[in-house]
Amino acid sequence: TPSAPATYALNSLVAGTVVEGNIHSDNDIRIDGMIKGNLNCKAKVIIGPKGQINGEIVCQNAVIEGRFDGKLKVAELIIKL
């Protein structure tokens, strides 16, 4: 039987949304709101221009345009705009 095609998924936390607690994601995630807690992502984390994270991020790649206050562990590439 043929395997299912790979699908791309992007999680998004929109502006005006605040999450307090820990988030785990297997797919890319874009933050335009605020996270007060830890983010563990097996893919790319994008903090948009209005996004804010206070906590620890563990991910494969990171693009940071907004505010980040905490500890960052990136396996591959960090882009700070």
Side-chain angles (χ1 to χ4, degrees), residues 14 28 31 33 45 47 61-62 68:
V14 298
D28 293 354
I31 308 300
V45 172
I47 304 175
N61 299 290
F68 173 69

Side-chain angles (χ1 to χ4, degrees), residues 25-59:
S25 176
D26 288 340
N27 299 299
D28 293 354
I29 185 165
R30 180 179 175 95
I31 308 300
D32 290 305
M34 175 185 250
I35 295 176
K36 296 178 183 178
N38 300 324
L39 173 58
N40 189 321
C41 180
K42 293 181 181 178
K44 183 181 355 179
V45 172
I46 303 163
I47 304 175
K50 296 183 180 180
Q52 184 175 347
I53 297 179
N54 297 320
E56 180 177 286
I57 298 174
V58 177
C59 63

Side-chain angles (χ1 to χ4, degrees), residues 41-44 58-63 72-79:
C41 180
K42 293 181 181 178
K44 183 181 355 179
V58 177
C59 63
Q60 285 297 113
N61 299 290
V63 177
L72 180 62
K73 296 179 185 176
V74 178
E76 294 177 15
L77 179 66
I78 302 172
I79 299 173

